[in-house]
Amino acid sequence: MSDTGKGWRYKEKLATYCDGLIPYDESAVFTGLNTGIGLSHDEHRSFGDGRFNSCRVSDMTMTIGLIADDAVNSRQDGFEMLDTLHSSASENPPKPLGGGWQGYTDLRNTGVVLPCNNKPASVVVSIAGDESYDSPPEARKVGELATAAARNAYAHWSCKTTFGGRIPSISGPTTEKYPSSAKGTCAGIRITGYERLHIDWIKESRTSGTTPLEMCAFGEFGASSERLYVLEAAFGPYAQRLRSATDEPGALNANTGLGLDMAWATAACPGSPRAIFSIYATEYADPRKPFLIRSLRGFAERSAARHGCTDLRLPH
């Protein structure tokens, strides 16, 4: 079949595939106009405004849907949109997608959030990839696919919103560096006075007021260079995925909390559900509560300020 014929066939498939939300140019970069392998799975979930689409584009899974501001994760056997957000592991902290978009990439997963001005909800595009997309040029192409799909989706869900522009170049994988050199998401967190915790390195990403996920990791040098503590800030739907309608393990339902190896705080953000800031001590760490609380405070205060959030509630 000629390239022209492939293009017609591909365009015809896209008209109904994933409710017509997948963009032609940005998806063809990955599929090569192959409708059989490139567009291989199209699934619709739930009903009404809660309906969302889960589709394959090449070897990536794209999830596109509308998430109400009062939605929480039911944590039941049924698969829901909130389950798809940041769903696969990456060694890289999330980076801001840039270009004026509320989005992130960790060089494997990508997410874009479009808050609606006319209803208490957000259009969300989530893309789960694998290590084959962990180069900056590939991550940028995935980001362009996500933002183009978001442009298609806003009208589908009658969402009045504001778009970003072209995605700038994306930096490469985040490397470990000495704690004293923190300038991004780990900046302002005091670790002096806790020398016995053996924190040798940090992993952080550039700060931004538009990324729905932020992370800072502390670790120790050694044979496997293990992570000791992980701090995360989650905004909008990415915070909602941590909430639950019941007091199940791992559900951050109260405004603050403190456990044996974790702590969390929340803040009120403009036009969005409360943000969640958390710190977890891994199995390799010494989870001392004073350190958890102090580190969480330093991380949450700066992150909340970047996003214009107020009413920060911290554990004691």
Side-chain angles (χ1 to χ4, degrees), residues 38 52 72 96 99-100 110-111 120 145 151 166 180 182 184 191-192 200 203 213 234-235 244 264 275 301-302:
F52 67 95
V72 293
T110 302
L145 172 62
R151 285 180 178 273
R166 185 168 175 78
S180 59
I191 63 172
T192 56
D200 300 319
K203 262 192 174 184
L213 280 176
F235 300 88
S244 173
W264 76 89
E301 286 179 344
R302 286 162 177 77

Side-chain angles (χ1 to χ4, degrees), residues 116-130:
C116 301
N117 300 324
N118 60 326
K119 62 175 73 177
S122 296
V123 169
V124 181
V125 178
S126 176
I127 302 180
D130 56 30

